[in-house]
Amino acid sequence: MSRALNRRVFLASSVAVASGVALQASATSARAASTPVRIPDVDVRQAARTDPTEATLAEAVTLIRRGRLTASELTEAYLERIERHDATYQAYAEVTGEAALKAARTADRGSPGVLRGIPLCIKDNYFTRGVPTRCNSYIFEDFVPDEDATAVARLTAAGGIVLGKGQMGPLATTRATKPNGTVTTVNAWTPEDPSVDPGGSSTGPACAVAGRLAASSIGTQTGGSIVLPSNRQNLTGLKPTMGRVSVHGVIPLSFTRDHAGPLARDAMDAAVMVQIMAGPDPKDPRTLGLPAVPDLVRAATPVVSHKGTVRMRRATRIGVPADFLSVQKELRGAFLDRLEALAGVTLVEVAYPDDWALLTDTFNAARLAERTEPFRHWLRTDPTKFGVSLLSWLQGLMLSGDEWITAQRAKNHLLREVLDGVMNRCDVVLQTGPVPFDILGLPEIAFPIGFDGAGVPVGAILGGHPYEEDRLLEVAAAYQAVTDWHTRRPADPATTTARLKAAVARPRLSAEEAAATSA
């Protein structure tokens, strides 16, 4: 589908979402959900053959398909690691080990599905039938859904196995803490130092995959909650275009900005997850009437010549903002050099408009009013249920109607500035933060590019045109074909009693800190 048509559909959809109305599902989009997904056989690294929890999702599928691994063996290996290490990581809010083993045994008897036997971590704001969905909140502390969220249902229908619910920021606002602000989930690369930012609010799903407690995971993003944990824990996270993946059955934070997507080990795994989850859902009007989902798995398959040279699947112009090298100059410079060396890549300079800071910062506060709307009852009857995040919810109550309207006008202006300005000369653009593309609902991908001096992962974020997740995956896959950052795993945490006690002594966010870092 042409970029011009994608743009027209996206603009119409954006207006519809803001108005609370639905587009009609087209015949093309209605077929999108039934597009067959084929995971290709991949070369399996020695580390993955030795320890299946080292495997990418695609490597695990390949091993199971070849009869070298069973679903039960893989599930048991992950559950053993959860038992041994999650007291330190605190990646899970709930572990469903018995149900996971039962599903694995069923998979070994030959159940269908491209994800047959693959263990997954589900962020704890997705409905899971019969399993608590607490959203790390006093409000939902006793909530047990009677249905699965659409994304969860599609993954399990494809054979995926739910290992449990990933810990998260309270009501999807900050890094994972208890509702009172006490830090829980750590960065898997620095498990003994909980002060190192692991990214939020999909902290648990990120830590579970990075720490080898799940093969892949799904999170949500409203203000960087997929791409930031991915960057900080050496993962590949894909936030699709608004509406590409249904958020039916996800506890809401912002109707116009909530996105569902994977936190995975590489571009191929992210592509597989979105390919399965994406497509129209009658229960979520934001998914209707959109262009068909492209072949994301093909997009994430690197193009390699017979001489071993990696090239882009399509010639791609990558926009580089003027301030991209203002931080981590050496590391980001090396990253740009590797990108530019790929056949088919052209780096182009892009500039932000003069009002960029105003549009992406000041008017970003409009999101606070959206989050209060579904929770007004609790704000009126028992505000203590919001715990440490109460301050940001109260700020939403205080935003007036005229301020909200002004912010919507600012959002439309920002959309024009991005599509007609920043991205007018490029196919994808490097970002220094996720917020602009969250505000607008445009797709973005995060992937690893190295480590800082302290050994903590560093990643890049690429933003794309509407419904062009495939273009983002093409770039990430090509870069990962010539680098090995994404294959690196953190060392296991120490398991001595002294170290475990140290890990339990976690810092606590204040109300002001929670508000300042809120999604």
Side-chain angles (χ1 to χ4, degrees):
M1 187 170 289
S2 74
R3 180 169 290 166
L5 182 56
N6 278 357
R7 173 174 167 152
R8 289 199 295 274
V9 173
F10 180 75
L11 292 174
S13 178
S14 296
V15 172
V17 168
S19 304
V21 299
L23 296 178
Q24 294 298 312
S26 66
T28 301
S29 67
R31 291 194 299 269
S34 60
T35 301
V37 181
R38 166 71 181 174
I39 302 175
D41 278 346
V42 298
D43 292 332
V44 180
R45 295 166 299 121
Q46 180 59 45
R49 291 196 293 269
T50 302
D51 180 351
T53 68
E54 285 273 358
T56 66
L57 182 156
E59 285 177 326
V61 167
T62 299
L63 288 170
I64 291 173
R65 187 183 289 154
R66 292 175 178 173
R68 306 288 177 85
L69 180 67
T70 68
S72 295
E73 290 169 342
L74 184 59
T75 302
E76 288 167 358
Y78 278 118
L79 289 173
E80 191 276 331
R81 286 189 59 80
I82 292 170
E83 175 68 23
R84 183 158 26 116
H85 296 303
D86 202 44
T88 298
Y89 288 134
Q90 295 189 35
Y92 281 91
E94 184 90 15
V95 177
T96 54
E98 185 176 336
L101 288 172
K102 181 179 179 181
R105 290 190 289 269
T106 299
D108 287 333
R109 290 195 291 269
S111 63
V114 294
L115 284 185
R116 180 170 65 90
I118 302 300
L120 306 172
C121 174
I122 309 298
K123 189 176 180 180
D124 200 27
N125 56 348
Y126 285 84
F127 285 20
T128 42
R129 184 165 58 89
V131 178
T133 298
R134 301 185 180 95
C135 204
N136 198 6
S137 167
Y138 297 130
I139 294 173
F140 296 101
E141 58 188 345
D142 299 317
F143 178 52
V144 180
D146 58 6
E147 67 170 339
D148 284 332
T150 297
V152 175
R154 289 180 178 178
L155 290 170
T156 55
I161 294 173
V162 176
L163 286 174
K165 306 299 290 291
Q167 191 58 275
M168 57 183 288
L171 292 171
T173 51
T174 64
R175 67 176 288 185
T177 71
K178 294 181 180 178
N180 69 3
T182 301
V183 166
T184 53
T185 314
V186 296
N187 189 315
W189 291 83
T190 58
E192 282 85 30
D193 186 358
S195 68
V196 175
D197 187 5
S201 63
S202 303
T203 318
C207 184
V209 179
R212 295 190 287 126
L213 310 182
S216 194
S217 68
I218 55 173
T220 57
Q221 176 158 324
T222 304
S225 292
I226 289 174
V227 297
L228 293 181
S230 294
N231 274 176
R232 290 166 183 163
Q233 301 202 50
N234 211 53
L235 303 177
T236 300
L238 178 57
K239 181 193 81 72
T241 311
M242 167 63 71
R244 183 62 93 191
V245 175
S246 172
V247 292
H248 171 73
V250 176
I251 294 173
L253 186 60
S254 169
F255 184 79
T256 65
R257 288 176 56 170
D258 285 347
H259 301 76
L263 298 91
R265 289 183 174 155
D266 62 10
M268 175 58 74
D269 287 7
V272 169
M273 295 285 283
V274 174
Q275 194 86 63
I276 291 169
M277 293 190 293
D281 174 15
K283 297 179 180 179
D284 183 353
R286 289 160 286 196
T287 67
L288 304 179
L290 306 184
V293 183
D295 189 340
L296 302 179
V297 173
R298 179 175 182 270
T301 304
V303 179
V304 184
S305 72
H306 66 281
K307 295 182 179 180
T309 302
V310 176
R311 63 175 176 83
M312 294 300 302
R313 189 169 292 279
R314 292 174 286 182
T316 300
R317 300 163 299 165
I318 300 177
V320 184
D323 65 344
F324 184 70
L325 295 177
S326 62
V327 296
Q328 299 164 330
K329 184 174 182 179
E330 184 176 344
L331 196 153
R332 287 186 173 187
F335 165 64
L336 291 179
D337 290 342
R338 294 304 295 266
L339 278 183
E340 193 169 29
L342 290 168
V345 165
T346 302
L347 300 184
V348 297
E349 293 183 6
V350 296
Y352 293 134
D354 293 338
D355 54 2
W356 188 253
L358 178 68
L359 293 172
T360 61
D361 185 8
T362 303
F363 287 112
N364 190 32
R367 76 196 192 285
L368 299 176
E370 285 193 27
R371 70 166 58 167
T372 63
E373 184 267 328
F375 296 100
R376 192 171 297 137
H377 166 75
W378 290 281
L379 284 166
R380 287 173 174 167
T381 58
D382 189 0
T384 63
K385 286 187 175 292
F386 291 85
V388 72
S389 63
L390 175 62
L391 190 57
S392 62
W393 295 85
L394 291 177
Q395 289 172 332
L397 275 180
M398 297 173 186
L399 195 74
S400 66
D402 61 323
E403 288 176 305
W404 192 85
I405 293 296
T406 301
Q408 300 315 302
R409 291 172 59 196
K411 175 180 175 178
N412 290 334
H413 180 64
L414 175 62
L415 183 57
R416 291 195 300 271
E417 294 278 23
V418 169
L419 294 181
D420 296 333
V422 176
M423 299 199 68
N424 188 45
R425 299 181 58 235
C426 60
D427 300 299
V428 298
V429 62
L430 285 163
Q431 299 175 245
T432 54
V435 169
F437 278 45
D438 283 341
I439 294 173
L440 302 175
L442 294 169
E444 56 188 0
I445 193 169
F447 53 94
I449 64 170
F451 296 84
D452 66 16
V456 177
V458 176
I461 302 173
L462 275 177
H465 288 268
Y467 313 114
E468 292 192 15
E469 294 85 6
D470 53 342
R471 180 81 74 163
L472 296 174
L473 286 162
E474 288 172 14
V475 176
Y479 176 76
Q480 291 179 347
V482 297
T483 59
D484 70 349
W485 305 118
H486 61 288
T487 68
R488 303 191 188 187
R489 311 282 185 256
D492 289 344
T495 55
T496 64
T497 302
R499 289 297 182 89
L500 284 176
K501 285 183 178 178
V504 172
R506 308 286 167 108
R508 182 172 174 175
L509 296 184
S510 67
E512 292 75 18
E513 289 171 327
T517 59
S518 179

